[in-house]
Amino acid sequence: GEDVEQSLFLSVREGDSSVINCTYTDSSSTYLYWYKQEPGAGLQLLTYIFSNMDMKQDQRLTVLLNKKDKHLSLRIADTQTGDSAIYFCAEAGGSYIPTFGRGTSLIVHP
Amino acid sequence: DADVTQTPRNRITKTGKRIMLECSQTKGHDRMYWYRQDPGLGLRLIYYSFDVKDINKGEISDGYSVSRQAQAKFSLSLESAIPNQTALYFCATSEPDRPQETQYFGPGTRLLVL
């Protein structure tokens, strides 16, 4: 079955860039997503990328997709303490029901 | 007002009890989902419904049942709760035919089974 892998923790200093990586196995993935979960809250869509794109930029966020290697990354520029959260990578194919990774806890310290 | 609401937000129950978690949405979406979140395991799909007459099992449906009472309401039941069902439960909705099929999550229900 489909599998989405991501590291569990990332610690960065405020002002630095954060890069969260994700790998997936389903070659028929149509959409790839990054969701953010703040403490005590549900997940919120942060950004998504269509499988025929290799990059998407939205303000401080840059998503890179390497479809050949099935690798997705999320770069957050100028990371702030408010970016501390759990970030979930997810992929969806034809059914559009996403498969989520285990989540990466981003810790931003001064 | 929140678009996707869940009740209760927190629940403590005992092994063997039947409990129901409720989800309501005002987004007008046909598709609704129930997930559970466990530390280090991410989100796992329990059940999903693409419309009122359509109910499907997800990855981990054993020990759970659902009811889609209306387009706006989707309930999750634990017929006989057991401790390993202790988790954070999320309801979500999505809108069909949108290119990116974004999921909209409720705030979650934290369930503790003693």
Side-chain angles (χ1 to χ4, degrees), chain B:
Chain B
D1 287 340
D3 295 315
V4 184
T5 57
Q6 293 183 234
T7 56
R9 292 295 311 278
N10 296 280
R11 179 73 184 267
I12 300 173
T13 192
K14 294 182 179 179
T15 297
K17 294 289 187 183
R18 182 180 189 274
I19 67 161
M20 180 182 288
L21 309 183
E22 299 189 353
C23 176
S24 293
Q25 53 116 345
T26 58
K27 299 189 77 68
H29 290 170
D30 285 326
R31 299 183 174 195
M32 299 187 73
Y33 309 78
W34 275 105
Y35 294 91
R36 66 176 277 177
Q37 182 181 21
D38 299 275
L41 292 181
L43 269 73
R44 292 182 290 169
L45 183 63
I46 306 172
Y47 270 96
Y48 62 100
S49 169
F50 281 177
D51 66 42
V52 174
K53 296 181 181 178
D54 177 75
I55 303 286
N56 302 280
K57 292 183 177 181
E59 181 187 350
I60 52 162
S61 59
D62 287 349
Y64 302 94
S65 62
V66 290
S67 172
R68 186 80 185 267
Q69 300 95 322
Q71 186 204 39
K73 295 185 182 297
F74 192 35
S75 300
L76 176 72
S77 294
L78 283 67
E79 299 302 325
S80 179
I82 56 176
N84 79 357
Q85 291 177 313
T86 292
L88 186 54
Y89 289 85
F90 286 105
C91 173
T93 72
S94 69
E95 188 175 31
D97 303 325
R98 289 291 297 275
Q100 67 272 25
E101 195 72 17
T102 301
Q103 297 219 328
Y104 297 87
F105 285 81
T109 294
R110 193 170 295 277
L111 175 66
L112 174 60
V113 183
L114 300 174

Side-chain angles (χ1 to χ4, degrees), chain A residues 28-64:
Chain A
S28 67
S29 296
T30 304
Y31 289 98
L32 297 118
Y33 310 85
W34 285 103
Y35 282 83
K36 178 182 180 182
Q37 183 183 28
E38 296 187 351
L43 281 70
Q44 279 193 304
L45 181 71
L46 199 58
T47 187
Y48 70 94
I49 188 167
F50 190 49
S51 59
N52 68 355
M53 299 167 65
D54 54 16
M55 184 176 111
K56 182 177 181 181
Q57 189 148 7
D58 183 4
Q59 299 182 344
R60 292 191 296 123
L61 305 179
T62 303
V63 178
L64 295 178

